[in-house]
């Protein structure tokens, strides 16, 4: 990590990003990258375009091994020259860059002083100025239209009653009662004072200023618990009257409000009172101020749209389309939808638009393109690259990725991404490893040198395996009917999709049926657990990351109970059979595949009893098994050393059982 410099020095040091980013360890290697090289890759995120479209701010994430942390700093790219410069360089991280309406300032959040506070820095040069000193940190923020105020959210401090209870009784949590709420505040830049706007027993999520600066629309739910996500409604706060009024209140989630350019209506994402919002399509709807009836705009669009902005050119939204992802515009008057893409085989994200909707900044990648920051006119999408993160992998092996299709057991068409090693030879059969995404409404995309968390795909490719990453039934990007195919069919239908994919690759002469392994995290871990029990005869090795082993155990322990009730259409007390049929533990007596289990001990989404249940069940069958408990981690493993351990364990496990090679590095 570079040593800290002052903000003026950073501003003065104009540099092309590629010249900096290629300094990552391992970037100039002529051989396959190590696990540390993969973790060290710098990654771009959070593009934010200036109001005039001339500048784009974005973040670069670096790995700090000394602090065992991923840290981000902010860069600004010039749309005219294509060059970028670093504007923050402090200890810890700076994130969420946003330009002031006049483009003179860049606001951001940083934890450089220990807690997440709001800062601004002048783009003409100077030190970053700390604006807030709140007790529990700023969550998110937005400039007012005139640039004189900044609205932000923060979580309420611990109550005096909770502090007193801890003094007397120690650290006790009363489930469903010890709630802390997140509320809206506004910071006056000239007066340097903050004012709280909302109060009550609810949590504010996303929010947006009205164009005239007199109102703030925001979504809110009863608690921050994921199980209460379906309670989200939308209100509008009047800064003139200091009051809030509810404008959208339906069953299911209503969220992410955006004002029309004239301030007379709101666009938002909604389930329109559908009870099964986990897998049913959401839609974009609008509501006029003073009306009580939303108008749906995207009922003909068969996917989940994510509202980005309502500009003069229409309502922009992002969405997946099979393995790809694009920006769209819906015309609020005609409901006509237009797609904006650099090319068809394209993965776009992080879209940020100018207020007039003429220019857009984004992150894009593809089968041969590492994710980078771009800017383009919305009409033509003639993109100019502002970062050069892809330079890091220029000399690394050129593995290939292609989208393939096959038929599952019930006739459903399944897609997946097939990764092949750089020296792939047609006519040779390769060991096959399956890497299964989470969700189930996740999606696997063809991107080189993807995120380095637990499964080292590129290390396996370097050893001479082919990798199949299936978009099994339930995956995003394929429409509501496809996402519904694993309802009351979890694990069972998912296994059909994986097994039929294996059979397809064997039939094509690509895969060695006697050297097949599977791994995944979260829902991917669950499917792998299902495969290691019910279909144990098909695999040489399995890795289960944060996976569900028993739906009853999961249901009573998880922080997101509605997920199970919606997918299985019952509670365990209503229909114990469906819970048993879809649980890996039901088939534990059949298990004999060597299985690695990885789990965070603080996982609230898939609590660790699931790991212990599978571990003991496999031990009782005398099946080779290793349980690795990642101390202090929740559902994701998000620190470099833990990622290193998880990836190395998986590399060692499959090296041992797929390649029959000793490793000597088991942890």
């Amino acid at each position: 990590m570079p040593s800290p410099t002052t903000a003026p020095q950073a501003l003065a040091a104009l540099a092309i990003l590629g010249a900096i980013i290629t300094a990552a360890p391992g970037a100039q290697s002529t051989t396959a990258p190590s696990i540390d090289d993969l973790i060290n890759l710098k990654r771009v995120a959070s593009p934010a375009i200036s109001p005039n479209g001339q500048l784009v701010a974005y973040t670069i994430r670096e790995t700090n091994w000394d602090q065992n942390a991923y840290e981000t700093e902010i860069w600004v790219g010039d749309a005219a020259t294509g060059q970028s410069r670093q504007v923050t360089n402090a200890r810890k991280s700076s994130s969420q860059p946003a330009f002031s309406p006049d483009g003179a300032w860049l606001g951001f959040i940083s934890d450089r002083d220990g807690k997440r506070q709001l800062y601004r820095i002048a783009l003409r040069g100077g030190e970053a100025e700390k604006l807030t000193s709140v007790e529990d940190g700023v969550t998110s923020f937005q400039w007012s239209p005139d640039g004189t105020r900044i609205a932000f959210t923060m979580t309420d401090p611990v109550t005096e009653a909770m502090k007193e209870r801890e003094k007397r009784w120690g650290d006790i949590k009363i489930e469903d009662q010890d709630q802390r709420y997140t509320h809206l505040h506004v910071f006056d830049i000239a007066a340097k004072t903050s004012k709280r706007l909302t109060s009550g027993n609810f949590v504010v999520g996303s929010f947006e200023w009205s164009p005239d600066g007199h109102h703030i629309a925001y979504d809110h739910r009863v608690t921050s618990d994921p199980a209460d996500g379906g309670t989200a409604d939308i209100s509008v706060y009047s800064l003139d009257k200091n009051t809030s009024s509810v404008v959208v209140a339906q069953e299911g989630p209503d969220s992410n409000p955006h004002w029309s350019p004239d301030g007379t209506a709101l666009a938002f994402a909604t389930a329109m009172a559908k009870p099964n919002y986990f897998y049913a399509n959401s839609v974009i709807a609008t509501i006029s101020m003073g009306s009580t009836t939303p108008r749906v705009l995207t009922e003909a669009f068969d996917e989940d749209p994510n509202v980005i902005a309502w500009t003069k050119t229409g309502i922009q939204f992002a969405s997946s389309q099979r393995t790809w992802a694009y920006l769209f515009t819906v015309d609020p008057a005609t409901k006509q939808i237009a797609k904006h893409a650099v090319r068809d085989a394209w993965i776009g994200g992080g879209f940020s638009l100018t207020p007039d909707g003429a220019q857009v900044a984004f992150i894009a990648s593809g089968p041969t393109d590492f994710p980078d920051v771009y800017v383009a006119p919305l009409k033509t999408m003639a993109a100019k690259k502002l970062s050069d993160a892809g330079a890091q992998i220029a000399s690394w092996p050129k593995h290939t990725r292609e989208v393939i299709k096959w038929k599952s057991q019930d006739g459903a068409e399944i897609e997946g991404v097939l990764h092949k090693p750089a020296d792939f030879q047609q006519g040779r059969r390769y060991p096959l490893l399956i890497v299964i995404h989470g969700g189930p409404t996740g999606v696997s995309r063809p991107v080189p040198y993807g995120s380095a968390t637990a499964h080292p795909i590129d290390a396996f490719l370097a050893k001479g395996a082919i990798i199949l990453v299936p978009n099994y039934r339930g995956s995003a990007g394929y429409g509501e009917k496809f996402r519904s195919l694993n309802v009351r069919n979890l694990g069972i239908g998912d296994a059909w999709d994986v097994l039929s994919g294996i059979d397809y690759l064997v039939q094509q002469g690509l895969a060695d049926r006697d050297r097949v392994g599977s791994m995944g995290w979260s829902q991917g871990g669950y499917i792998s657990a299902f495969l290691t029990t019910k279909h144990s005869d098909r695999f040489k090795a399995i890795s289960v990351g944060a996976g569900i082993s028993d739906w009853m155990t999961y249901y009573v322990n998880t922080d997101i109970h509605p997920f199970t009730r919606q997918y299985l259409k019952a509670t365990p007390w209503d229909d114990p059979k469906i819970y048993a049929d879809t649980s890996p533990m039901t088939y534990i007596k059949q298990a004999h595949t060597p299985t690695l289990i990885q789990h965070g001990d603080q996982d609230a989404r898939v609590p660790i009893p699931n790991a212990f249940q599978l571990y003991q069940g496999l031990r009782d069958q005398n099946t080779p098994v290793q349980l690795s408990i990642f101390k202090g981690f929740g559902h994701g493993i998000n620190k470099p050393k833990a990622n290193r351990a998880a990836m190395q364990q998986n590399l060692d496990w499959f090296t041992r059982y797929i390649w029959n090679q000793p490793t000597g590095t088991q942890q």
Side-chain angles (χ1 to χ4, degrees), residues 563-636:
F563 171 90
T564 320
R565 292 197 298 265
Q566 289 187 30
Y567 272 96
L568 295 183
K569 296 290 189 183
T571 68
W573 344 118
D574 298 326
D575 190 347
K577 184 177 185 301
I578 191 63
Y579 275 72
D581 289 348
T582 55
S583 291
M585 293 307 297
T586 301
Y587 313 99
I588 194 67
K589 295 289 287 184
Q590 302 169 208
H592 58 78
T593 300
T595 303
L596 170 66
I597 305 170
Q598 298 173 314
H599 219 109
D601 70 333
Q602 302 299 310
D603 193 342
R605 182 58 42 84
V606 183
I608 200 167
N610 287 271
F612 283 115
Q613 203 167 356
L614 181 61
Y615 177 63
Q616 189 59 46
L618 292 170
R619 288 188 68 190
D620 289 348
Q621 309 315 310
N622 295 315
T623 296
V625 60
Q626 174 181 315
L627 171 59
S628 293
I629 300 171
F630 288 78
K631 296 286 190 178
F633 287 93
H635 194 51

Side-chain angles (χ1 to χ4, degrees), residues 442-483:
V443 59
S444 294
R445 307 191 192 279
V447 180
Y449 293 98
S451 62
T453 53
H455 306 120
I457 287 178
D458 296 285
F460 291 130
L461 290 169
K463 284 190 68 67
I466 57 174
I467 314 291
L468 177 63
V469 190
N471 284 327
Y472 56 91
R473 64 192 61 211
S475 299
Y478 297 85
E480 182 174 309
K481 183 178 179 182
F482 187 81
R483 288 201 309 277

